[in-house]
Amino acid sequence: MSDAVLDKQVKKQKTRKRKVDPEIGVSLSWKTLKVQKQLIFMSVPIAIYLIIFNYVPIWGWVMAFQNYHPALPFGQQEWVGFDQFKFLFSDDTFLLVLRNTIAMSFINLVLGTVTAIGLALLLNEIRVKFFKRIVQSISYLPHFLSWVIAAGIVATSLSIDDGIINVILMKLHLIKDPIMWLSEGKYFWGIVGASNVWKEVGWGTIIYLAAITSIDPSLYEAASIDGATRMQKMRYVTLPGIKATFVILLIMNIGHILDAGFELQYLLGNGLTIDYSQTIDIFVIKYGISMGNYSLATAAGIFKTIVSVILVFMANYTAKRLGEERLI
Amino acid sequence: MHKSAKRSAQAAAAGVLALTLALTGCGSGSNNTNTGGDAGGKNAASGGNATPAAAGDDNAPVTFSVFMNGPGQQPTPDNKILKLIKDETGITFNQEFLVGDLQQKLGVMIAGGDYPDIMSGDDKLINAKAYIPLEDLIEKYAPNLKKHYGAVWNQIKDESDGHIYVLPSYGVYQGKITEPTYQGPGFWLQKKVLEEMGYPTPKTLDEYFDIIAKYKEKHPDVIGFESLNFDWRVFPLQNAPEHLSGHPNDGAVIVDNNKAQIFADKDISKTYYKKLNEINAQGLMDKEAFVQNYDQYLAKVASGKVVGMFDQHWNFQDGEKSLISQGKLEDTYIGFPLLYPGYEEWYRDRGAVGTNRGFGISIKAKDPVRIIKFWDKMITEDWQKTLQWGVKGEDYEVNADGSFYRTPEQRANADQTSWQVANKISGMFGYMPKIQGTYSDGNAADAGTQPQEFFDSLKPYDQKILKAYNKKSWSEFFKEPKENNIYFPAYSIVLKDGSPAQLAQSKLNDLQVKYLPKAIMASPAEFDSVWQDYVDKIHKLDIKAYEDRINEGIQQRIEKWSVK
């Protein structure tokens, strides 16, 4: 488009009396649509993509209200109303897996965030570039391992014959006999939390480090002039500087509170720890998919989605009331 | 004015969205069902009436896609047997072995209605009506198959609607049953242990664990008794009581006088797990047995440190294979049929017809008649010899009295994976209808079951051990199998997806994997209270629904399967 045409359009927009809705920004009207037609055209493929892959599948939700049978046409499916949901919430196992899911998710969320911010703060204070890079690379490499491999490493480290954890604890004389970590339910959540930290801490740190670099250096200088120590600078400059990032990430992660994970728990869990290791996703596989009960699996999926949406909105609302950054 | 424009735009957008949703949603839904229904109808029809083209032109080149529900190795492109098949029938196969998780793969196939021409049998696919019925096709075009399956014709019909969807690959015998290697359940001991102890033959649990205890005393480094409690491979932990009490492998139930009941909560179980609890206290049980996964289990077997275990042979065979390839034959195992006093042995069984384990033809298959005619040709003795033994003069020899044997070189070849993929089609053949037992000329169906050939193929060490026990094969450590009960095995009785029976079975399994390790690892004083807790929990389940369904299945089988 030539500059002249652009100029003309800009002028036209400027001269037109526009009413700006404070909520939406620019109000939706045929005229704005026409003016922004290039933008509109560009977003059409995205919209189609979203409709096909994110909205059309919602149609499958009707399964949750049926006794779904794969081969039958839609008209012949048996409708059962809320029976699948009733089964879910009256089943002891489901309530147990719900507890496990929330507990492990919560542990992961807290531990993950705290360690990531902690590591970012510490890394930020390191002045030797080379050392900083090495630490960062080492800490985020496990992120690229698949959970299958990672779970193998975890299981081997926790093994009673020559697992590194037991060896270290015994050498330090903290324990007399090797502990069978994977045989006791009470250790399981801790193991999952620690494994997650080991695998993801470096990756989580990256975004906080990025946020820290965007803090205005003059703030640090001003703090120095006022006589702030290193710790005080971290406390009063760096931490408030990354608060916005923290809140946004927190809101997003709260939406995933019912996704405590599947692979790690599935691969590390066993009969002895089943009361603590089974998550919603494992429950869905076991009692839904592998029993051919797709309806139950869908019902559990809907439950997860609804809870997630509610949580995200709640977190977002709270952030807004507290005057913080928010997602939506 | 402005407001209304805005609103109309929004309304239009919302309308378009809703319409799109409705159209795509309904559209795809009804399309799927239509194609599914039509394809089924059409193919079933073409199955009934011969397609003229297919009947007339039997050797025209054609490619069939085949899905197999287990992992396997692709044959080489110039595979000898596939080439023979192509020359004789014009058929090539596009073989797909399972990669990854079966349930997930099946789920995707069923959801999309996207089936290959030939599929290995699966209850889930049968429930989804993914196969065409085969009985009319067989009556019309496949006299050899009809003869082959004649004796079990009623058994191979699907229980729910009486159609034959899958042609069983194993369990249809003719002639004599020779089975030198033993793949079933047993209490296993390492050969070097037996050698050192002077070739004992343990008959009871006490004798068995006595051998292990004595051996471990001298070699404290070994693992006395191993078990596995992982994923679906939980039977090493669960199944021993039924065998100890003289029952064949019926799964989670024992059947006496055609009446099935679970045995998890019975005394035959308590006795066994109490014994395991005792040996655990003695330090004979592997401490990690119940927290390890299958790979760790195999690794332990492959390390040669495990003295004994209760398991099905095929379940730990990969570990044993690794021992063999390391040349540590003395670390491999011999199975023993232990019994409680007063019970009669029934470890070995005549492999039941593997209903739903074999090949079926999918509703999307191009030319069902051609496929059924192909299988019919393959079940003839000449082809079976080619498929199982190989090519005469190349892969096996015939001596003066007509019995088949292999030269040492041919045996060495047959053991090599690289040779197998070029000269055998073991992967696909595993799922095809096959002759087991002996051919009409008296030779065993394949080299592995020819008695003399088997003994000759053993390494000197194994021959020495067998001679010490005065036996010719590993299966001779077990009694000849009794005639199967008509309903055998009860574990193959189909539980309806999502039924209370299935739910009870699944919950019972959950209780077992949780409480049995607990009971075994408890201190001997606590065993009884843990056991009581476990039994109480079992009795809270709807076990009756499960037992009723199994008993119903047994009665149905007795009624329908009996051959007049």
Side-chain angles (χ1 to χ4, degrees), chain B residues 127 160 164 183 186 189 287 329 372 456 482 502 505 556:
Chain B
N127 288 340
S160 58
I164 294 172
Q183 295 294 357
L189 280 175
K287 282 197 195 120
L329 279 181
I372 209 79
D456 291 344
K482 286 190 239 181
Q502 194 196 32
Q505 183 202 35
Q556 280 169 356

Side-chain angles (χ1 to χ4, degrees), chain A residues 155-167:
Chain A
T156 316
S157 334
L158 295 173
S159 157
I160 53 164
D161 28 275
D162 294 344
I164 188 161
I165 305 287
N166 278 318
V167 170

Side-chain angles (χ1 to χ4, degrees), chain A residues 71, chain B residues 30-42 113 115 129 363-364:
Chain B
S30 55
N31 274 349
N32 274 346
T33 50
N34 275 345
T35 44
D38 278 350
K42 239 182 262 162
Y115 304 120
K129 309 245 175 283
I363 52 173
K364 294 278 168 74

Side-chain angles (χ1 to χ4, degrees), chain A residues 281-300:
Chain A
D281 294 334
I282 297 175
F283 179 85
V284 164
I285 286 278
K286 222 156 118 182
Y287 292 94
I289 313 277
S290 61
M291 283 197 187
N293 195 346
Y294 301 103
S295 299
L296 187 70
T298 315

Side-chain angles (χ1 to χ4, degrees), chain B residues 209-271:
Chain B
F209 286 118
D210 207 38
I211 293 173
I212 295 180
K214 277 191 186 137
Y215 188 81
K216 193 169 158 83
E217 223 167 81
K218 282 194 218 157
H219 310 264
D221 245 13
V222 299
I223 297 170
F225 189 70
E226 185 60 82
S227 191
L228 178 64
N229 185 30
F230 179 73
D231 213 15
W232 59 271
R233 297 177 194 266
V234 287
F235 45 83
L237 182 63
Q238 296 174 344
N239 281 5
E242 63 184 337
H243 298 299
L244 285 165
S245 62
H247 295 89
N249 185 4
D250 268 317
V253 293
I254 48 174
V255 187
D256 289 312
N257 305 321
N258 299 339
K259 186 105 180 81
Q261 53 178 338
I262 62 159
F263 61 87
D265 57 339
K266 305 287 184 298
D267 275 348
I268 53 168
S269 297
K270 191 177 174 184
T271 316

